[in-house]
Amino acid sequence: MKFWRKPLDLDQLEIPHGEIHIVKDRCKGCAFCVEYCPKDVLELSDEFNIKGYHPPYVKNPDQCLFCRLCETICPEFAIWVTEKQKEVKKVES
Amino acid sequence: MNETLTKEMGVIEEKHPMENILRMDRIPHIWCPTCGIGIAVTSFAIALEKSKIPLDQVCVVSGIGCSGRVAGYVKLDSFHSTHGRAIPFATGLKLGNPKLKTVVFSGDGDIIGIGGNHFIHSARRNMDMLVLCINNFIYAMTGGQLAATTPLTANTSTSPYGNYETPFNLPYLADSCGAVYVARWTVLHVRRLANSITEALNKKGFSFIEIICPCSTIYARRNRLGSGLDLMKFYHDNSIIKHGANTKELDIGFQQKIIVGKFVDRERPTFLESLNDWNRKVFGDKFKEYGGPDDGD
């Protein structure tokens, strides 16, 4: 992760990571989550779901910072994020 | 059926965090792809969680229309009332049991068009309720007729050459009728909308939040505005956050800048408070304060 300025307490900070769950058959392909994800984690897939829409898939799973914007902005209640269990991850400076 | 299939296949291992507020057996809902009402429901659910009001003390009343469906999808005490009569029903609920927190979740055609009279009188009396008005500028469920909020020059099925009627300015209407909390957000401002609903839920009196919502199937199609995603991008580029703005200046033109924010936040005695105060003044000690059916004897 890039910082425009290095925080002084960088060693103590722990950046949360999220795991994204998608119910593909509930998706109606509006692409709000893809458009408004601040880290470009999601992308529309080429496959069709049971309704004939293109559901998103997780392109960069490591980039997700657990901001839960996709969960909030999804009109279909089809996507949600859970916090990944901490694996003692330290930020590389 | 699709959901049960996936459940049998064991794909869904964990539950959606909002399952305690939604009736999941009724999901997927009937709203069109890229409709914003689902986002408003999510914001409402987040606000309910944040405000820490017990769920058995909240009730949701809806009228008719696309957003009238909300009452069927939330797992709270809810009622789907007749067209325009969501606010009178909520008034009755509140007076019958003043401990309830009543929320009216309905559309612009229902609250302002058909039930406009009920709206202004509830605001005048300062009934203790929260009104969430989904504004999509059109009567969407019945085929796109001209609504009281349709901006000038917009095309609808009953104004095929463009609209020439001046629309309502909803925050100004609510402010001048005496609402204690008036705000306007688009569905793109999800976090601010959730915070605003939390604030309004904890406020006593008539709170009004206008939620501007994309309607891709009717409004955007008739006016050639693209998909719902294009409307969201339009909101992103053209909404200006201006807290405390003069409500007179909040008119929405066709595809013009939208001023959003919290405009009014004031204190006024609510209907029940004034009722108790006045009767105590008139009858003295003989009067027993009204606080619900199960207090006192």
Side-chain angles (χ1 to χ4, degrees), chain B residues 42-118:
Chain B
T42 316
S43 306
F44 175 61
I46 293 170
L48 264 186
E49 247 167 48
K50 263 193 200 167
S51 65
K52 296 199 176 110
I53 300 174
L55 291 186
D56 56 352
Q57 283 179 20
V58 184
C59 54
V60 175
V61 185
S62 289
I64 300 295
C66 297
S67 34
R69 289 270 167 171
V70 172
Y73 293 133
V74 289
K75 210 199 282 179
L76 304 166
D77 292 337
S78 55
F79 193 78
H80 193 181
S81 69
T82 45
H83 204 357
R85 275 56 175 158
I87 291 179
F89 189 88
T91 305
L93 272 179
K94 183 71 195 174
L95 295 184
N97 185 0
K99 281 165 201 136
L100 285 181
K101 186 81 216 173
T102 46
V103 180
V104 174
F105 210 124
S106 205
D108 57 322
D110 187 72
I111 290 178
I112 306 298
I114 310 287
N117 204 13
H118 303 301

Coordinates of all heavy atoms in Angstrom, one line a residue, chain B residues 42-118:
Chain B
T42 N -31.0 -0.4 2.8 CA -29.8 -0.8 3.5 C -29.4 0.3 4.5 O -29.0 0.1 5.6 CB -28.6 -1.0 2.5 OG1 -29.1 -1.7 1.4 CG2 -27.5 -1.6 3.1
S43 N -29.5 1.6 4.0 CA -29.1 2.7 4.9 C -30.0 2.8 6.1 O -29.5 3.0 7.2 CB -29.2 4.1 4.1 OG -28.5 4.0 3.0
F44 N -31.3 2.5 5.9 CA -32.2 2.5 7.0 C -31.9 1.4 8.0 O -31.9 1.6 9.2 CB -33.6 2.3 6.5 CG -34.7 2.1 7.5 CD1 -34.9 3.1 8.5 CD2 -35.5 1.0 7.6 CE1 -35.9 3.0 9.4 CE2 -36.4 0.8 8.6 CZ -36.7 1.8 9.5
A45 N -31.5 0.2 7.5 CA -31.1 -0.9 8.4 C -29.9 -0.5 9.2 O -29.8 -0.8 10.4 CB -30.9 -2.2 7.6
I46 N -28.9 0.1 8.5 CA -27.7 0.5 9.2 C -28.0 1.5 10.3 O -27.5 1.4 11.5 CB -26.6 1.1 8.2 CG1 -26.1 0.0 7.3 CG2 -25.5 1.7 8.9 CD1 -25.3 0.5 6.1
A47 N -28.9 2.5 10.0 CA -29.3 3.5 10.9 C -30.0 2.9 12.1 O -29.7 3.3 13.3 CB -30.2 4.5 10.3
L48 N -30.8 1.9 11.9 CA -31.5 1.2 13.0 C -30.6 0.5 13.9 O -30.7 0.6 15.1 CB -32.5 0.1 12.4 CG -33.9 0.5 12.2 CD1 -34.7 -0.7 11.8 CD2 -34.5 1.1 13.4
E49 N -29.5 -0.1 13.3 CA -28.5 -0.8 14.1 C -27.8 0.2 15.0 O -27.5 0.0 16.1 CB -27.6 -1.5 13.2 CG -27.7 -3.0 13.4 CD -26.9 -3.7 12.3 OE1 -25.8 -3.4 12.0 OE2 -27.5 -4.7 11.7
K50 N -27.4 1.4 14.3 CA -26.6 2.4 15.0 C -27.4 3.1 16.1 O -26.9 3.4 17.2 CB -26.2 3.5 14.0 CG -24.8 3.3 13.4 CD -24.5 4.6 12.7 CE -23.4 4.4 11.8 NZ -23.3 5.5 10.9
S51 N -28.7 3.3 15.9 CA -29.5 4.1 16.9 C -29.8 3.3 18.1 O -30.2 3.8 19.1 CB -30.8 4.6 16.2 OG -31.6 3.5 15.9
K52 N -29.7 1.9 18.0 CA -29.9 1.0 19.1 C -31.3 1.1 19.7 O -31.5 0.8 20.9 CB -28.9 1.3 20.2 CG -27.5 1.0 19.7 CD -26.5 0.8 20.9 CE -25.1 0.4 20.3 NZ -24.1 1.4 20.4
I53 N -32.3 1.4 18.9 CA -33.7 1.3 19.3 C -34.1 -0.2 19.2 O -33.8 -0.8 18.2 CB -34.6 2.2 18.3 CG1 -34.1 3.6 18.4 CG2 -36.0 2.0 18.7 CD1 -34.8 4.5 17.4
P54 N -34.7 -0.7 20.3 CA -35.2 -2.1 20.2 C -36.1 -2.3 19.0 O -37.0 -1.5 18.7 CB -35.9 -2.3 21.5 CG -35.7 -1.2 22.3 CD -35.1 -0.1 21.5
L55 N -35.9 -3.4 18.3 CA -36.6 -3.6 17.0 C -38.1 -3.8 17.2 O -38.9 -3.6 16.3 CB -36.0 -4.8 16.3 CG -34.6 -4.7 15.7 CD1 -34.2 -5.9 14.9 CD2 -34.5 -3.4 14.8
D56 N -38.5 -4.3 18.4 CA -39.9 -4.4 18.6 C -40.6 -3.1 18.9 O -41.8 -3.1 19.1 CB -40.2 -5.5 19.7 CG -39.6 -5.1 21.0 OD1 -38.8 -4.1 21.0 OD2 -39.8 -5.8 22.0
Q57 N -39.9 -2.0 19.0 CA -40.5 -0.7 19.2 C -40.5 0.1 17.9 O -40.9 1.3 18.0 CB -39.8 0.0 20.3 CG -40.2 -0.5 21.7 CD -39.5 0.3 22.7 OE1 -39.0 1.4 22.6 NE2 -39.4 -0.3 23.9
V58 N -40.1 -0.5 16.8 CA -40.1 0.3 15.5 C -41.1 -0.3 14.6 O -41.3 -1.5 14.5 CB -38.7 0.1 14.8 CG1 -38.6 1.0 13.6 CG2 -37.6 0.5 15.8
C59 N -41.9 0.6 14.0 CA -42.8 0.1 13.0 C -42.7 0.9 11.7 O -42.5 2.1 11.8 CB -44.3 0.0 13.5 SG -44.8 1.5 14.1
V60 N -42.9 0.2 10.6 CA -42.7 0.8 9.3 C -44.0 0.8 8.6 O -44.7 -0.2 8.5 CB -41.6 0.1 8.4 CG1 -41.5 0.7 7.1 CG2 -40.3 0.1 9.1
V61 N -44.4 2.0 8.1 CA -45.7 2.1 7.3 C -45.4 2.6 5.9 O -44.6 3.5 5.7 CB -46.7 3.1 8.0 CG1 -48.0 3.1 7.3 CG2 -46.8 2.8 9.5
S62 N -45.9 1.9 4.9 CA -45.7 2.3 3.5 C -47.0 2.5 2.9 O -48.1 2.0 3.2 CB -45.0 1.2 2.8 OG -43.6 1.2 3.2
G63 N -47.0 3.3 1.8 CA -48.2 3.5 1.0 C -48.1 2.6 -0.3 O -47.6 1.5 -0.2
I64 N -48.5 3.2 -1.4 CA -48.6 2.4 -2.6 C -47.4 2.9 -3.5 O -47.1 4.1 -3.4 CB -49.9 2.5 -3.3 CG1 -51.0 2.0 -2.4 CG2 -50.0 1.8 -4.6 CD1 -51.0 0.6 -2.1
G65 N -46.9 2.0 -4.3 CA -45.9 2.4 -5.3 C -44.7 1.5 -5.1 O -44.7 0.5 -4.4
C66 N -43.6 1.8 -5.9 CA -42.4 1.0 -5.8 C -41.9 0.9 -4.4 O -41.7 -0.1 -3.8 CB -41.3 1.5 -6.7 SG -41.8 1.5 -8.4
S67 N -41.8 2.1 -3.8 CA -41.2 2.1 -2.4 C -42.2 1.7 -1.4 O -41.8 1.4 -0.2 CB -40.7 3.5 -2.1 OG -41.6 4.5 -2.7
G68 N -43.5 1.5 -1.7 CA -44.5 0.9 -0.8 C -44.2 -0.5 -0.5 O -44.6 -1.0 0.5
R69 N -43.3 -1.1 -1.3 CA -42.9 -2.5 -1.1 C -42.0 -2.7 0.1 O -41.8 -3.8 0.6 CB -42.2 -3.1 -2.3 CG -43.2 -3.2 -3.5 CD -43.7 -4.6 -3.4 NE -44.8 -4.8 -4.3 CZ -45.4 -5.9 -4.5 NH1 -44.9 -7.0 -4.0 NH2 -46.4 -6.0 -5.3
V70 N -41.4 -1.6 0.6 CA -40.5 -1.7 1.7 C -41.1 -2.4 2.9 O -40.5 -3.2 3.6 CB -39.9 -0.3 2.0 CG1 -39.1 -0.4 3.3 CG2 -39.1 0.2 0.9
A71 N -42.4 -2.0 3.2 CA -43.0 -2.6 4.4 C -43.1 -4.1 4.3 O -43.1 -4.7 5.4 CB -44.5 -2.0 4.5
G72 N -43.1 -4.7 3.1 CA -43.1 -6.1 3.0 C -41.8 -6.8 3.2 O -41.7 -8.0 3.4
Y73 N -40.7 -6.0 3.0 CA -39.4 -6.6 3.0 C -38.7 -6.5 4.3 O -37.6 -7.1 4.5 CB -38.5 -6.0 1.9 CG -39.0 -6.4 0.5 CD1 -39.2 -5.4 -0.5 CD2 -39.3 -7.7 0.2 CE1 -39.6 -5.7 -1.7 CE2 -39.8 -8.0 -1.1 CZ -39.9 -7.0 -2.0 OH -40.4 -7.4 -3.3
V74 N -39.1 -5.6 5.2 CA -38.4 -5.4 6.5 C -39.1 -6.3 7.6 O -40.3 -6.4 7.6 CB -38.4 -4.0 7.0 CG1 -37.5 -3.2 6.1 CG2 -39.8 -3.3 7.0
K75 N -38.3 -6.9 8.4 CA -38.8 -7.9 9.4 C -39.1 -7.1 10.7 O -38.5 -7.3 11.7 CB -37.8 -9.0 9.7 CG -38.4 -10.3 10.1 CD -37.5 -11.2 10.8 CE -36.6 -11.9 9.8 NZ -35.6 -12.8 10.5
L76 N -39.9 -6.1 10.6 CA -40.4 -5.3 11.7 C -41.9 -5.3 11.6 O -42.5 -5.8 10.7 CB -39.9 -3.8 11.6 CG -38.4 -3.6 11.4 CD1 -38.1 -2.2 11.0 CD2 -37.7 -3.9 12.7
D77 N -42.5 -4.7 12.7 CA -44.0 -4.5 12.5 C -44.2 -3.5 11.4 O -43.7 -2.4 11.5 CB -44.6 -3.9 13.8 CG -44.5 -5.0 15.0 OD1 -44.4 -6.1 14.6 OD2 -44.5 -4.6 16.1
S78 N -44.9 -4.0 10.4 CA -45.0 -3.1 9.2 C -46.4 -3.2 8.6 O -47.1 -4.2 8.8 CB -44.0 -3.4 8.2 OG -44.0 -4.8 7.8
F79 N -46.8 -2.1 7.9 CA -48.1 -2.1 7.3 C -48.1 -1.5 5.9 O -47.4 -0.4 5.8 CB -49.1 -1.4 8.2 CG -50.6 -1.6 7.8 CD1 -51.2 -2.8 8.1 CD2 -51.2 -0.6 7.1 CE1 -52.5 -3.0 7.7 CE2 -52.5 -0.8 6.7 CZ -53.2 -2.0 7.0
H80 N -48.7 -2.1 5.0 CA -48.8 -1.6 3.6 C -50.2 -0.9 3.4 O -51.2 -1.6 3.3 CB -48.6 -2.8 2.7 CG -48.4 -2.4 1.3 ND1 -48.2 -3.3 0.3 CD2 -48.3 -1.2 0.6 CE1 -48.0 -2.8 -0.9 NE2 -48.0 -1.5 -0.7
S81 N -50.2 0.4 3.6 CA -51.6 1.0 3.7 C -52.0 1.4 2.3 O -51.4 1.2 1.3 CB -51.5 2.2 4.6 OG -50.7 3.2 4.0
T82 N -53.2 2.1 2.2 CA -53.8 2.5 0.9 C -53.0 3.7 0.4 O -52.2 4.3 1.1 CB -55.2 2.8 1.1 OG1 -55.4 3.6 2.2 CG2 -56.1 1.6 1.2
H83 N -53.3 4.1 -0.8 CA -52.5 5.1 -1.5 C -52.6 6.5 -0.9 O -53.7 7.0 -0.7 CB -53.0 5.2 -3.0 CG -52.0 5.7 -3.9 ND1 -50.8 6.2 -3.5 CD2 -52.0 5.9 -5.3 CE1 -50.1 6.6 -4.6 NE2 -50.8 6.4 -5.6
G84 N -51.5 7.0 -0.4 CA -51.4 8.3 0.2 C -51.8 8.3 1.6 O -51.6 9.4 2.3
R85 N -52.2 7.2 2.2 CA -52.7 7.2 3.6 C -51.7 6.6 4.6 O -52.0 6.1 5.6 CB -54.0 6.5 3.7 CG -55.2 7.4 3.4 CD -55.1 8.0 2.1 NE -56.3 8.8 1.7 CZ -56.2 9.7 0.7 NH1 -55.1 10.0 0.2 NH2 -57.3 10.3 0.3
A86 N -50.4 6.6 4.2 CA -49.4 6.1 5.1 C -49.2 6.9 6.4 O -49.1 6.4 7.5 CB -48.0 6.0 4.4
I87 N -49.2 8.3 6.2 CA -49.0 9.2 7.3 C -50.2 9.1 8.3 O -50.0 9.0 9.5 CB -48.7 10.6 6.8 CG1 -47.3 10.6 6.2 CG2 -48.7 11.6 8.0 CD1 -46.9 11.9 5.6
P88 N -51.5 9.1 7.8 CA -52.6 9.0 8.8 C -52.5 7.7 9.6 O -52.8 7.7 10.8 CB -53.8 9.1 7.9 CG -53.4 9.6 6.7 CD -52.0 9.5 6.5
F89 N -52.2 6.6 8.9 CA -52.1 5.3 9.6 C -51.0 5.4 10.7 O -51.2 4.9 11.8 CB -51.8 4.2 8.6 CG -51.9 2.8 9.2 CD1 -53.1 2.2 9.2 CD2 -50.8 2.2 9.7 CE1 -53.2 0.9 9.7 CE2 -50.8 1.0 10.3 CZ -52.0 0.3 10.3
A90 N -49.8 6.0 10.3 CA -48.7 6.1 11.3 C -49.1 7.0 12.4 O -48.8 6.8 13.6 CB -47.5 6.7 10.6
T91 N -50.0 8.0 12.2 CA -50.5 8.9 13.2 C -51.3 8.1 14.2 O -51.1 8.2 15.4 CB -51.3 10.0 12.6 OG1 -50.5 10.7 11.6 CG2 -51.8 11.0 13.7
G92 N -52.2 7.3 13.7 CA -53.0 6.4 14.5 C -52.2 5.5 15.4 O -52.4 5.3 16.6
L93 N -51.1 4.9 14.8 CA -50.3 4.0 15.5 C -49.6 4.7 16.7 O -49.5 4.2 17.8 CB -49.2 3.5 14.6 CG -49.4 2.2 13.8 CD1 -48.2 1.9 12.9 CD2 -49.7 1.0 14.7
K94 N -49.1 5.9 16.4 CA -48.3 6.7 17.3 C -49.3 7.1 18.5 O -48.9 7.0 19.7 CB -47.8 7.9 16.7 CG -46.9 8.8 17.5 CD -45.6 8.1 17.8 CE -44.9 8.8 19.0 NZ -43.7 8.1 19.4
L95 N -50.5 7.5 18.2 CA -51.4 7.9 19.3 C -51.9 6.7 20.1 O -52.1 6.8 21.3 CB -52.6 8.7 18.7 CG -52.2 10.0 18.0 CD1 -53.4 10.8 17.6 CD2 -51.4 10.9 19.0
G96 N -52.1 5.6 19.4 CA -52.5 4.4 20.1 C -51.5 3.9 21.0 O -51.8 3.4 22.1
N97 N -50.2 4.0 20.6 CA -49.1 3.5 21.5 C -47.9 4.5 21.4 O -47.1 4.3 20.5 CB -48.7 2.1 21.1 CG -47.7 1.5 22.0 OD1 -47.2 2.2 23.0 ND2 -47.2 0.3 21.8
P98 N -47.9 5.5 22.2 CA -46.9 6.6 22.0 C -45.4 6.1 22.2 O -44.5 6.8 22.0 CB -47.2 7.6 23.1 CG -48.6 7.4 23.4 CD -48.9 5.9 23.2
K99 N -45.2 4.8 22.7 CA -43.9 4.3 22.9 C -43.2 3.9 21.6 O -42.0 3.7 21.5 CB -43.9 3.2 23.9 CG -44.0 3.7 25.3 CD -44.3 2.6 26.3 CE -44.9 3.2 27.5 NZ -46.1 2.5 28.0
L100 N -44.1 3.7 20.6 CA -43.6 3.2 19.3 C -42.8 4.3 18.6 O -43.0 5.5 18.7 CB -44.7 2.8 18.4 CG -45.4 1.5 18.7 CD1 -46.5 1.3 17.6 CD2 -44.4 0.3 18.6
K101 N -41.8 3.9 17.7 CA -41.1 4.8 16.8 C -41.7 4.5 15.5 O -41.4 3.4 14.9 CB -39.6 4.5 16.9 CG -38.8 5.5 16.1 CD -38.6 6.8 16.9 CE -38.6 7.9 15.9 NZ -38.5 9.2 16.6
T102 N -42.5 5.4 14.9 CA -43.1 5.1 13.6 C -42.3 5.7 12.5 O -41.8 6.9 12.6 CB -44.5 5.7 13.5 OG1 -44.5 7.0 14.0 CG2 -45.5 4.9 14.4
V103 N -42.1 4.9 11.5 CA -41.3 5.4 10.3 C -42.2 5.2 9.1 O -42.8 4.1 8.9 CB -40.0 4.5 10.1 CG1 -39.3 5.0 8.9 CG2 -39.2 4.6 11.3
V104 N -42.4 6.3 8.3 CA -43.1 6.2 7.1 C -42.1 6.1 6.0 O -41.3 7.0 5.8 CB -44.1 7.4 6.9 CG1 -44.7 7.4 5.6 CG2 -45.1 7.4 8.0
F105 N -42.2 5.0 5.2 CA -41.2 4.8 4.1 C -42.0 4.7 2.9 O -42.6 3.7 2.6 CB -40.5 3.5 4.4 CG -39.1 3.4 3.9 CD1 -38.0 3.1 4.7 CD2 -38.8 3.6 2.6 CE1 -36.7 3.0 4.3 CE2 -37.5 3.6 2.1 CZ -36.5 3.3 2.9
S106 N -42.0 5.8 2.1 CA -42.9 5.8 0.9 C -42.3 6.7 -0.2 O -41.3 7.3 0.0 CB -44.3 6.1 1.3 OG -45.2 5.6 0.4
G107 N -43.0 6.8 -1.3 CA -42.5 7.5 -2.4 C -43.0 8.9 -2.5 O -43.9 9.4 -1.7
D108 N -42.6 9.7 -3.5 CA -43.0 11.1 -3.6 C -44.4 11.1 -4.1 O -45.2 12.0 -3.6 CB -42.1 11.8 -4.6 CG -42.0 11.1 -6.0 OD1 -42.0 9.9 -6.0 OD2 -41.9 11.8 -7.0
G109 N -44.8 10.3 -5.0 CA -46.2 10.3 -5.5 C -47.2 10.0 -4.3 O -48.3 10.5 -4.3
D110 N -46.8 9.1 -3.4 CA -47.7 8.7 -2.3 C -47.8 9.8 -1.3 O -48.8 10.1 -0.9 CB -47.1 7.4 -1.8 CG -48.1 6.8 -0.7 OD1 -49.1 6.3 -1.2 OD2 -47.7 6.8 0.4
I111 N -46.6 10.3 -0.8 CA -46.6 11.2 0.3 C -47.0 12.6 -0.1 O -47.7 13.3 0.5 CB -45.2 11.2 1.0 CG1 -45.0 9.8 1.7 CG2 -45.1 12.3 2.0 CD1 -43.7 9.7 2.4
I112 N -46.4 13.1 -1.2 CA -46.6 14.4 -1.6 C -47.8 14.6 -2.6 O -48.5 15.5 -2.6 CB -45.3 15.0 -2.3 CG1 -44.2 14.8 -1.3 CG2 -45.5 16.5 -2.6 CD1 -44.3 15.5 0.0
G113 N -47.9 13.6 -3.6 CA -48.9 13.7 -4.6 C -50.3 13.4 -4.0 O -51.2 14.3 -3.9
I114 N -50.5 12.1 -3.7 CA -51.9 11.7 -3.3 C -52.1 12.1 -1.8 O -53.2 12.6 -1.5 CB -52.0 10.2 -3.4 CG1 -51.6 9.7 -4.8 CG2 -53.4 9.7 -3.1 CD1 -52.5 10.0 -5.9
G115 N -51.1 12.0 -1.0 CA -51.3 12.2 0.4 C -50.7 13.6 0.9 O -50.3 13.7 2.0
G116 N -50.7 14.6 0.0 CA -50.1 15.8 0.3 C -50.7 16.5 1.5 O -50.0 17.1 2.4
N117 N -52.1 16.4 1.6 CA -52.8 17.1 2.7 C -52.4 16.5 4.1 O -52.2 17.2 5.0 CB -54.3 16.9 2.4 CG -55.1 18.0 3.1 OD1 -54.5 19.0 3.6 ND2 -56.4 17.8 3.2
H118 N -52.3 15.2 4.1 CA -51.9 14.5 5.3 C -50.5 14.9 5.7 O -50.2 15.1 6.9 CB -52.0 13.0 5.2 CG -53.3 12.5 4.8 ND1 -54.4 12.7 5.5 CD2 -53.7 11.8 3.7 CE1 -55.5 12.2 4.9 NE2 -55.1 11.7 3.8

